[in-house]
Short mmCIF file of all heavy atoms in Angstrom, two decimals:
data_model
loop_
_atom_site.label_atom_id
_atom_site.label_comp_id
_atom_site.label_asym_id
_atom_site.label_seq_id
_atom_site.Cartn_x
_atom_site.Cartn_y
_atom_site.Cartn_z
N ILE A 94 -57.20 42.96 -34.68
CA ILE A 94 -55.75 42.83 -34.52
C ILE A 94 -55.34 43.92 -33.53
O ILE A 94 -55.55 45.11 -33.78
CB ILE A 94 -54.99 43.01 -35.85
CG1 ILE A 94 -55.56 42.07 -36.91
CG2 ILE A 94 -53.49 42.75 -35.65
CD1 ILE A 94 -56.41 42.76 -37.92
N ILE A 95 -54.78 43.48 -32.40
CA ILE A 95 -54.57 44.43 -31.30
C ILE A 95 -53.14 44.32 -30.78
O ILE A 95 -52.66 43.23 -30.45
CB ILE A 95 -55.55 44.12 -30.12
CG1 ILE A 95 -56.97 44.00 -30.66
CG2 ILE A 95 -55.46 45.22 -29.05
CD1 ILE A 95 -57.82 43.01 -29.92
N ALA A 96 -52.47 45.47 -30.68
CA ALA A 96 -51.13 45.54 -30.08
C ALA A 96 -51.29 45.54 -28.57
O ALA A 96 -51.95 46.41 -28.01
CB ALA A 96 -50.42 46.83 -30.54
N ARG A 97 -50.68 44.55 -27.91
CA ARG A 97 -50.81 44.44 -26.46
C ARG A 97 -49.47 44.67 -25.77
O ARG A 97 -48.42 44.29 -26.29
CB ARG A 97 -51.35 43.03 -26.10
CG ARG A 97 -52.71 42.70 -26.70
CD ARG A 97 -53.80 43.65 -26.20
NE ARG A 97 -53.83 43.75 -24.75
CZ ARG A 97 -54.46 42.89 -23.94
NH1 ARG A 97 -55.10 41.86 -24.46
NH2 ARG A 97 -54.45 43.06 -22.63
N TYR A 98 -49.54 45.31 -24.61
CA TYR A 98 -48.35 45.61 -23.80
C TYR A 98 -48.56 45.07 -22.39
O TYR A 98 -49.69 45.12 -21.88
CB TYR A 98 -48.12 47.12 -23.75
CG TYR A 98 -47.87 47.73 -25.11
CD1 TYR A 98 -48.93 48.19 -25.89
CD2 TYR A 98 -46.58 47.83 -25.62
CE1 TYR A 98 -48.71 48.74 -27.14
CE2 TYR A 98 -46.35 48.38 -26.88
CZ TYR A 98 -47.42 48.84 -27.63
OH TYR A 98 -47.20 49.38 -28.87
N ARG A 99 -47.46 44.64 -21.79
CA ARG A 99 -47.56 44.05 -20.45
C ARG A 99 -48.19 44.99 -19.44
O ARG A 99 -48.79 44.55 -18.46
CB ARG A 99 -46.17 43.61 -19.94
CG ARG A 99 -45.72 42.32 -20.57
CD ARG A 99 -44.45 41.76 -19.97
NE ARG A 99 -43.89 40.81 -20.96
CZ ARG A 99 -42.97 41.13 -21.86
NH1 ARG A 99 -42.44 42.34 -21.89
NH2 ARG A 99 -42.56 40.23 -22.74
N ASP A 100 -48.05 46.31 -19.68
CA ASP A 100 -48.60 47.27 -18.72
C ASP A 100 -49.94 47.86 -19.16
O ASP A 100 -50.40 48.84 -18.59
CB ASP A 100 -47.58 48.40 -18.46
CG ASP A 100 -47.25 49.17 -19.74
OD1 ASP A 100 -47.81 48.82 -20.81
OD2 ASP A 100 -46.46 50.12 -19.67
N ASP A 101 -50.55 47.28 -20.21
CA ASP A 101 -51.83 47.87 -20.63
C ASP A 101 -52.95 47.49 -19.65
O ASP A 101 -52.77 46.62 -18.78
CB ASP A 101 -52.14 47.58 -22.11
CG ASP A 101 -52.63 46.17 -22.42
OD1 ASP A 101 -53.31 45.55 -21.59
OD2 ASP A 101 -52.34 45.69 -23.54
N SER A 102 -54.08 48.15 -19.77
CA SER A 102 -55.13 48.06 -18.75
C SER A 102 -55.64 46.63 -18.51
O SER A 102 -56.14 46.34 -17.42
CB SER A 102 -56.31 48.95 -19.13
OG SER A 102 -56.80 48.59 -20.40
N HIS A 103 -55.53 45.74 -19.49
CA HIS A 103 -56.14 44.42 -19.36
C HIS A 103 -55.15 43.25 -19.40
O HIS A 103 -55.54 42.11 -19.14
CB HIS A 103 -57.19 44.21 -20.46
CG HIS A 103 -58.45 44.98 -20.24
ND1 HIS A 103 -58.48 46.36 -20.16
CD2 HIS A 103 -59.73 44.57 -20.05
CE1 HIS A 103 -59.72 46.76 -19.96
NE2 HIS A 103 -60.49 45.70 -19.88
N PHE A 104 -53.90 43.53 -19.73
CA PHE A 104 -52.92 42.44 -19.89
C PHE A 104 -52.74 41.65 -18.59
O PHE A 104 -52.65 42.27 -17.52
CB PHE A 104 -51.57 43.02 -20.32
CG PHE A 104 -50.66 42.01 -20.96
CD1 PHE A 104 -50.67 41.81 -22.33
CD2 PHE A 104 -49.79 41.25 -20.19
CE1 PHE A 104 -49.83 40.88 -22.92
CE2 PHE A 104 -48.96 40.30 -20.78
CZ PHE A 104 -48.97 40.12 -22.15
N PRO A 105 -52.66 40.31 -18.58
CA PRO A 105 -52.67 39.40 -19.73
C PRO A 105 -54.06 38.95 -20.16
O PRO A 105 -54.17 38.08 -21.01
CB PRO A 105 -51.87 38.20 -19.20
CG PRO A 105 -52.27 38.12 -17.76
CD PRO A 105 -52.46 39.56 -17.31
N GLU A 106 -55.11 39.55 -19.61
CA GLU A 106 -56.46 39.20 -20.06
C GLU A 106 -56.67 39.71 -21.48
O GLU A 106 -55.97 40.62 -21.93
CB GLU A 106 -57.51 39.85 -19.14
CG GLU A 106 -57.52 39.29 -17.73
CD GLU A 106 -57.89 37.82 -17.68
OE1 GLU A 106 -58.77 37.40 -18.44
OE2 GLU A 106 -57.26 37.09 -16.91
N SER A 107 -57.66 39.17 -22.17
CA SER A 107 -58.03 39.72 -23.47
C SER A 107 -58.63 41.11 -23.24
O SER A 107 -59.00 41.45 -22.11
CB SER A 107 -59.05 38.81 -24.17
OG SER A 107 -60.37 39.16 -23.80
N ILE A 108 -58.73 41.91 -24.26
CA ILE A 108 -59.25 43.28 -24.07
C ILE A 108 -60.73 43.26 -23.71
O ILE A 108 -61.27 44.26 -23.27
CB ILE A 108 -59.02 44.18 -25.31
CG1 ILE A 108 -59.88 43.73 -26.50
CG2 ILE A 108 -57.55 44.22 -25.70
CD1 ILE A 108 -60.01 44.81 -27.57
N TRP A 109 -61.37 42.09 -23.89
CA TRP A 109 -62.79 41.97 -23.52
C TRP A 109 -62.93 41.35 -22.12
O TRP A 109 -64.04 41.09 -21.67
CB TRP A 109 -63.53 41.11 -24.55
CG TRP A 109 -63.43 41.65 -25.93
CD1 TRP A 109 -64.20 42.64 -26.48
CD2 TRP A 109 -62.50 41.27 -26.96
NE1 TRP A 109 -63.80 42.88 -27.77
CE2 TRP A 109 -62.76 42.06 -28.10
CE3 TRP A 109 -61.47 40.33 -27.03
CZ2 TRP A 109 -62.03 41.95 -29.28
CZ3 TRP A 109 -60.74 40.22 -28.20
CH2 TRP A 109 -61.02 41.01 -29.31
N GLY A 110 -61.81 41.09 -21.47
CA GLY A 110 -61.84 40.46 -20.14
C GLY A 110 -61.89 41.52 -19.05
O GLY A 110 -62.31 42.66 -19.27
N ILE A 111 -61.44 41.13 -17.88
CA ILE A 111 -61.53 42.01 -16.71
C ILE A 111 -60.33 42.96 -16.67
O ILE A 111 -59.18 42.53 -16.85
CB ILE A 111 -61.62 41.16 -15.42
CG1 ILE A 111 -62.95 40.39 -15.41
CG2 ILE A 111 -61.52 42.05 -14.17
CD1 ILE A 111 -63.00 39.28 -14.39
N LYS A 112 -60.61 44.23 -16.45
CA LYS A 112 -59.56 45.24 -16.36
C LYS A 112 -58.62 44.92 -15.20
O LYS A 112 -59.08 44.55 -14.11
CB LYS A 112 -60.21 46.62 -16.17
CG LYS A 112 -59.24 47.76 -16.23
CD LYS A 112 -59.95 49.12 -16.17
CE LYS A 112 -58.92 50.22 -16.01
NZ LYS A 112 -59.51 51.57 -16.06
N GLN A 113 -57.32 45.05 -15.43
CA GLN A 113 -56.33 44.68 -14.43
C GLN A 113 -55.74 45.90 -13.72
O GLN A 113 -55.24 45.82 -12.62
CB GLN A 113 -55.18 43.91 -15.09
CG GLN A 113 -55.62 42.68 -15.88
CD GLN A 113 -56.18 41.59 -14.99
OE1 GLN A 113 -55.51 41.15 -14.06
NE2 GLN A 113 -57.41 41.16 -15.26
N ARG A 114 -55.73 47.04 -14.40
CA ARG A 114 -55.07 48.25 -13.86
C ARG A 114 -55.46 49.43 -14.74
O ARG A 114 -56.00 49.25 -15.83
CB ARG A 114 -53.55 48.07 -13.88
CG ARG A 114 -52.94 47.99 -15.27
CD ARG A 114 -51.50 47.53 -15.31
NE ARG A 114 -51.34 46.13 -14.94
CZ ARG A 114 -51.55 45.09 -15.77
NH1 ARG A 114 -51.91 45.28 -17.03
NH2 ARG A 114 -51.39 43.85 -15.36
N ASP A 115 -55.16 50.65 -14.25
CA ASP A 115 -55.32 51.84 -15.09
C ASP A 115 -54.14 51.95 -16.05
O ASP A 115 -53.02 51.57 -15.71
CB ASP A 115 -55.38 53.11 -14.22
CG ASP A 115 -56.73 53.23 -13.52
OD1 ASP A 115 -57.74 52.75 -14.06
OD2 ASP A 115 -56.75 53.79 -12.40
N ASN A 116 -54.39 52.50 -17.22
CA ASN A 116 -53.29 52.82 -18.13
C ASN A 116 -52.54 54.04 -17.61
O ASN A 116 -53.16 54.95 -17.06
CB ASN A 116 -53.83 53.14 -19.53
CG ASN A 116 -54.06 51.89 -20.36
OD1 ASN A 116 -53.15 51.10 -20.58
ND2 ASN A 116 -55.29 51.72 -20.83
N ASN A 117 -51.24 54.06 -17.81
CA ASN A 117 -50.46 55.26 -17.54
C ASN A 117 -50.76 56.27 -18.66
O ASN A 117 -50.55 55.96 -19.84
CB ASN A 117 -48.97 54.88 -17.53
CG ASN A 117 -48.07 56.08 -17.32
OD1 ASN A 117 -48.22 57.11 -17.98
ND2 ASN A 117 -47.12 55.95 -16.42
N PRO A 118 -51.26 57.48 -18.33
CA PRO A 118 -51.69 58.42 -19.38
C PRO A 118 -50.57 58.82 -20.34
O PRO A 118 -50.81 58.97 -21.53
CB PRO A 118 -52.18 59.64 -18.58
CG PRO A 118 -52.39 59.17 -17.19
CD PRO A 118 -51.49 58.00 -16.97
N GLU A 119 -49.35 58.97 -19.79
CA GLU A 119 -48.23 59.36 -20.68
C GLU A 119 -47.88 58.25 -21.66
O GLU A 119 -47.63 58.50 -22.85
CB GLU A 119 -46.99 59.70 -19.85
CG GLU A 119 -47.06 61.11 -19.27
CD GLU A 119 -45.86 61.43 -18.39
OE1 GLU A 119 -44.75 60.96 -18.71
OE2 GLU A 119 -46.06 62.13 -17.37
N THR A 120 -47.84 57.04 -21.14
CA THR A 120 -47.55 55.88 -22.00
C THR A 120 -48.62 55.77 -23.09
O THR A 120 -48.32 55.52 -24.26
CB THR A 120 -47.55 54.58 -21.15
OG1 THR A 120 -46.70 54.79 -20.04
CG2 THR A 120 -47.10 53.40 -21.94
N LEU A 121 -49.84 55.98 -22.69
CA LEU A 121 -50.96 55.88 -23.63
C LEU A 121 -50.83 56.93 -24.74
O LEU A 121 -51.08 56.64 -25.92
CB LEU A 121 -52.27 56.08 -22.86
CG LEU A 121 -53.51 55.40 -23.40
CD1 LEU A 121 -53.29 53.91 -23.63
CD2 LEU A 121 -54.68 55.60 -22.44
N LEU A 122 -50.42 58.13 -24.35
CA LEU A 122 -50.25 59.21 -25.33
C LEU A 122 -49.15 58.86 -26.33
O LEU A 122 -49.32 59.03 -27.54
CB LEU A 122 -49.92 60.52 -24.60
CG LEU A 122 -49.90 61.78 -25.46
CD1 LEU A 122 -51.25 62.05 -26.08
CD2 LEU A 122 -49.45 63.00 -24.62
N GLU A 123 -48.03 58.36 -25.80
CA GLU A 123 -46.94 57.92 -26.68
C GLU A 123 -47.42 56.86 -27.67
O GLU A 123 -47.09 56.90 -28.85
CB GLU A 123 -45.80 57.30 -25.85
CG GLU A 123 -44.84 58.30 -25.23
CD GLU A 123 -43.97 57.64 -24.17
OE1 GLU A 123 -43.67 56.42 -24.30
OE2 GLU A 123 -43.60 58.34 -23.20
N ARG A 124 -48.17 55.92 -27.16
CA ARG A 124 -48.64 54.82 -28.02
C ARG A 124 -49.67 55.32 -29.04
O ARG A 124 -49.75 54.79 -30.14
CB ARG A 124 -49.19 53.68 -27.18
CG ARG A 124 -48.07 52.93 -26.49
CD ARG A 124 -48.50 51.81 -25.59
NE ARG A 124 -47.34 51.36 -24.80
CZ ARG A 124 -47.42 50.72 -23.64
NH1 ARG A 124 -48.60 50.44 -23.11
NH2 ARG A 124 -46.31 50.37 -23.00
N ALA A 125 -50.45 56.31 -28.64
CA ALA A 125 -51.41 56.88 -29.60
C ALA A 125 -50.66 57.54 -30.75
O ALA A 125 -51.09 57.48 -31.91
CB ALA A 125 -52.32 57.88 -28.89
N GLN A 126 -49.52 58.15 -30.43
CA GLN A 126 -48.70 58.76 -31.50
C GLN A 126 -48.10 57.68 -32.40
O GLN A 126 -48.08 57.79 -33.62
CB GLN A 126 -47.62 59.65 -30.89
CG GLN A 126 -48.21 60.94 -30.30
CD GLN A 126 -47.29 61.66 -29.33
OE1 GLN A 126 -46.28 61.11 -28.88
NE2 GLN A 126 -47.64 62.90 -28.99
N LEU A 127 -47.60 56.61 -31.76
CA LEU A 127 -47.08 55.48 -32.54
C LEU A 127 -48.17 54.87 -33.43
O LEU A 127 -47.90 54.42 -34.54
CB LEU A 127 -46.54 54.39 -31.61
CG LEU A 127 -45.19 54.62 -30.95
CD1 LEU A 127 -44.84 53.41 -30.07
CD2 LEU A 127 -44.10 54.81 -32.01
N ALA A 128 -49.37 54.86 -32.91
CA ALA A 128 -50.48 54.27 -33.67
C ALA A 128 -50.74 55.08 -34.94
O ALA A 128 -51.07 54.52 -35.99
CB ALA A 128 -51.73 54.19 -32.81
N GLU A 129 -50.58 56.39 -34.85
CA GLU A 129 -50.75 57.24 -36.05
C GLU A 129 -49.70 56.87 -37.10
O GLU A 129 -50.00 56.78 -38.29
CB GLU A 129 -50.59 58.73 -35.69
CG GLU A 129 -51.65 59.28 -34.74
CD GLU A 129 -52.95 59.63 -35.46
OE1 GLU A 129 -52.94 59.78 -36.69
OE2 GLU A 129 -53.99 59.74 -34.75
N VAL A 130 -48.47 56.69 -36.63
CA VAL A 130 -47.39 56.27 -37.53
C VAL A 130 -47.72 54.91 -38.15
O VAL A 130 -47.59 54.70 -39.36
CB VAL A 130 -46.05 56.21 -36.76
CG1 VAL A 130 -44.93 55.68 -37.66
CG2 VAL A 130 -45.69 57.57 -36.17
N MET A 131 -48.15 53.99 -37.29
CA MET A 131 -48.50 52.64 -37.75
C MET A 131 -49.57 52.70 -38.83
O MET A 131 -49.48 52.06 -39.87
CB MET A 131 -48.99 51.82 -36.55
CG MET A 131 -49.40 50.40 -36.85
SD MET A 131 -51.16 50.23 -37.22
CE MET A 131 -51.92 50.44 -35.60
N GLN A 132 -50.60 53.52 -38.61
CA GLN A 132 -51.70 53.61 -39.58
C GLN A 132 -51.22 54.14 -40.93
O GLN A 132 -51.64 53.65 -41.99
CB GLN A 132 -52.82 54.49 -39.02
CG GLN A 132 -53.53 53.85 -37.82
CD GLN A 132 -54.39 54.85 -37.04
OE1 GLN A 132 -54.78 55.89 -37.56
NE2 GLN A 132 -54.68 54.54 -35.79
#
Side-chain angles (χ1 to χ4, degrees):
Chain A
I94 306 105
I95 310 147
R97 300 299 308 277
Y98 298 89
R99 282 187 200 94
D100 61 359
D101 76 33
S102 57
H103 286 60
F104 200 91
E106 293 297 320
S107 88
I108 69 162
W109 303 277
I111 294 165
K112 187 175 171 175
Q113 305 293 305
R114 67 192 69 80
D115 285 330
N116 275 303
N117 177 312
E119 280 177 36
T120 309
L121 209 53
L122 188 61
E123 278 166 30
R124 287 178 191 157
Q126 288 163 346
L127 284 180
E129 295 280 342
V130 176
M131 180 268 287
Q132 292 165 21

